[in-house]
Each structure stands twice: as structure tokens, then as C-alpha cells.
Amino acid sequence: MKNYLIVTDTTSAMNGDQAKKYGIELVSLSVLIDHQEYKDQIDISTEELYQKLRDGCIPTTSQPNTGYLQNLMEKWKSENYEAIIVITCSSDLSGTWSGFNLVKNDLEMDNMYIYDSRQIGAPVMDMAICAKEMANNDCSVAEIFEMLERKSANVFSFLAPLDFKQLARSGRLSPLAAKMATILKVKALLYLKEDGSCVDKFAMSRTGSKVIKTMIEKFKSANVNAQDFRIYISHADNEELAIKAKNLLQDIFEGIEVFVNKLPAVLTCHGGLGCIAIHYICK
């Protein structure tokens, strides 16, 4: 077993209990509400964030505080790990990757390797868990990075907001466009671009069934199957819809592993209550 520390952040959809189970260090992003800063999963729970949204608050997220990172990384440095592997969300969506690199250089931590996953949400968690398993099996840093690159090249992420209110509140959609979409009862399917640069429109329809059909067609075109892939469904206080999606996907892709968890704060703040994210990623 390699003496490696595997690190990821809370954009991965991993919670504290899961991090303890797998022996992974979980770094919190900041959630900002009414000029108050909270460490995700430490100062504010997912359920508390849901309640803030119900109360009409407009939360935002930001990369981990530099002082917080400095304290964590000084501790890691003192623990003399053979290697520290940090797996962050897409550097185009968050400054977390840059923040780690800044403190790494300040502390001269030559044994730290920081990987920009170009993803967000559950695929990042999947990468971190696999990295930990490989470290436990005596794999080298190079072998772990080969795995990370393979997964980054064989992943796709959808985000389906229940409505457009939070997208308008967060500035991702104009209030007029949100109002028109609501009046017309338009359903939207968003996706993370393959290079991890931004979330964009994948499909829009007046019916939810057509949106689902479009998503399934994408899965089939990528040859998603039970032997080579697994699926993650993350939800923002909408477990009923997530379970329905799980059952549908398992009916279509017989034998495939489908995991359901809660959406990370960074996606909940933009997608709003009720939204779900669906990801496929290679094993």
C-alpha cells in the first residue's frame, strides 16, 4: 500500500461520511449567503442549503479560502506522505485548481500532484475513489494519472433544472428569458462541455419525455454499457425523480451500476432546488 494522500473538494458530490469511508481528504469550497461565508459540508449542510434556497436566499460559491488551504497543506506537508494527489473540479469553473497550485508553490511541496479533472460533480468523486483504490494496490502516481486521463476522456454530464428561477437569480439566465421559458413550459437539458469550460444548452423541448429521449440517445451513441461504464445521478432535494431516472436507466442499460446521491452545493446554487445531474463515466 502506497503512503499517498488522496484529496478532492466538495464539488465532487462527496460528503464527509463518504470521505471517511474511503480515507479521502475532503476540502470545502465556500458558500456565500448574505455576505456570510460558510465552509461547504462543515459550516453548512446540504439540507441547510436547501432551506436557504426555500427561504429565497441567493447563495453563491467560491474556491476554498487561501488561509484555509494554507493550514491544511502545512499539516499535510508535516505528515511526510510519499505523494499527495489532489483531484479538483474543472479549472474553468472554479479557481480551486489555481488555489492549490499557488499554495503548493509557496510551501515548496514537490510531492504534491494536482489534477484538473475538467469535470464537476460525481465524476470527480469517482476519480478520487479509484485513485485511492489504486494507491491501496501499490500503483504509482503515473499509473493513477493514466487512469484519471482515461476517465476524463470517457465521461459526460447532464444537468436538468426543474425550473429556471435559480438560473435567473444566479445570473445564468435573464429574468425575461426565465419568465418566457416558464410560461411556455419549456424543459431544458444542459451539459458540461467536454473540455470542462462551461455548462451549456444541450436540448430544449415542450415535453419532458423528449428531453429524456435526447439524453438516452447520447448515452447509446457513446456505447454506454454495464461492463465498461457506471452512472451517477445527483439531485437537489428531488430523490423521487432521481430514483425514477435510476430505474429507467437500469431498464434500458441492463445490469449497469447506478448510484444516487445529493447534488454538490456549486451545482445546486445554479440549478436550484429539484434539479438533477446525470453522469456516465467509464470504469
Side-chain angles (χ1 to χ4, degrees):
M1 180 184 295
K2 296 287 190 183
N3 184 28
Y4 292 173
L5 178 66
I6 307 299
V7 181
T8 191
D9 59 64
T10 53
T11 64
S12 66
M14 180 176 283
N15 60 40
D17 290 340
Q18 290 169 316
K20 287 178 183 177
K21 174 184 175 181
Y22 291 106
I24 293 170
E25 186 80 18
L26 188 63
V27 176
S28 296
L29 266 72
S30 294
V31 179
L32 308 174
I33 304 173
D34 296 333
H35 308 292
Q36 179 74 36
E37 181 177 344
Y38 303 87
K39 289 187 181 71
D40 187 21
Q41 301 296 320
I42 296 176
D43 301 326
I44 187 168
S45 68
T46 303
E47 289 73 20
E48 288 169 333
L49 177 62
Y50 292 162
Q51 189 57 53
K52 293 286 188 182
L53 286 165
R54 291 189 197 99
D55 292 341
C57 293
I58 307 175
T60 58
T61 58
S62 70
Q63 68 191 70
N65 179 286
T66 301
Y68 165 59
L69 272 187
Q70 182 100 14
N71 290 336
L72 281 176
M73 291 169 67
E74 285 176 351
K75 175 177 176 290
W76 300 342
K77 184 176 181 179
S78 71
E79 291 170 340
N80 297 315
Y81 290 102
E82 184 179 347
I84 300 169
I85 299 174
V86 181
I87 304 167
T88 74
C89 69
S90 172
S91 60
D92 286 315
L93 300 179
S94 169
T96 305
W97 180 85
S98 297
F100 271 112
N101 276 285
L102 178 66
V103 180
K104 171 192 171 178
N105 293 334
D106 285 346
L107 297 179
E108 298 180 342
M109 295 177 69
D110 295 334
N111 66 332
M112 175 175 276
Y113 305 87
I114 305 169
Y115 184 74
D116 178 1
S117 71
R118 306 185 295 280
Q119 300 300 319
I120 194 166
V124 185
M125 174 171 63
D126 183 273
M127 292 177 187
I129 292 170
C130 288
K132 181 62 177 179
E133 290 172 348
M134 290 181 71
N136 290 345
N137 289 322
D138 268 343
C139 293
S140 67
V141 172
E143 288 172 321
I144 291 173
F145 266 63
E146 285 177 10
M147 173 274 294
L148 295 173
E149 281 295 299
R150 179 174 56 81
K151 283 182 175 288
S152 289
N154 293 278
V155 60
F156 201 86
S157 297
F158 286 112
L159 179 67
L162 191 63
D163 58 42
F164 296 89
K165 292 177 183 176
Q166 190 60 27
L167 286 169
R169 286 174 178 172
S170 65
R172 300 280 171 167
L173 190 67
S174 73
L176 179 59
K179 186 175 182 180
M180 287 300 296
T182 301
I183 291 171
L184 295 173
K185 297 182 179 179
V186 170
K187 307 295 182 183
L189 186 63
L190 311 178
Y191 79 109
L192 178 64
K193 286 191 172 182
E194 284 87 340
D195 61 2
S197 60
C198 66
V199 175
D200 203 353
K201 179 183 72 175
F202 189 85
M204 298 190 78
S205 174
R206 294 286 295 275
T207 64
S209 59
K210 189 171 182 180
V211 167
I212 292 169
K213 182 181 178 182
T214 301
M215 181 187 69
I216 297 299
E217 287 173 353
K218 171 61 182 175
F219 277 51
K220 288 181 176 178
S221 71
N223 195 29
V224 171
N225 62 82
Q227 180 177 341
D228 302 315
F229 289 84
R230 58 176 63 98
I231 295 172
Y232 290 89
I233 302 173
S234 302
H235 66 91
D237 202 22
N238 198 349
E239 187 174 15
E240 182 180 354
L241 181 58
I243 295 298
K244 286 181 179 178
K246 174 182 177 179
N247 293 337
L248 173 64
L249 289 165
Q250 287 184 321
D251 285 344
I252 295 171
F253 302 99
E254 187 176 351
I256 199 163
E257 292 179 303
V258 181
F259 301 95
V260 174
N261 60 2
K262 292 180 179 177
L263 204 65
V266 66
L267 286 176
T268 301
C269 287
H270 295 306
L273 289 173
C275 71
I276 65 169
I278 301 179
H279 321 262
Y280 67 72
I281 187 168
C282 69
K283 292 183 178 178

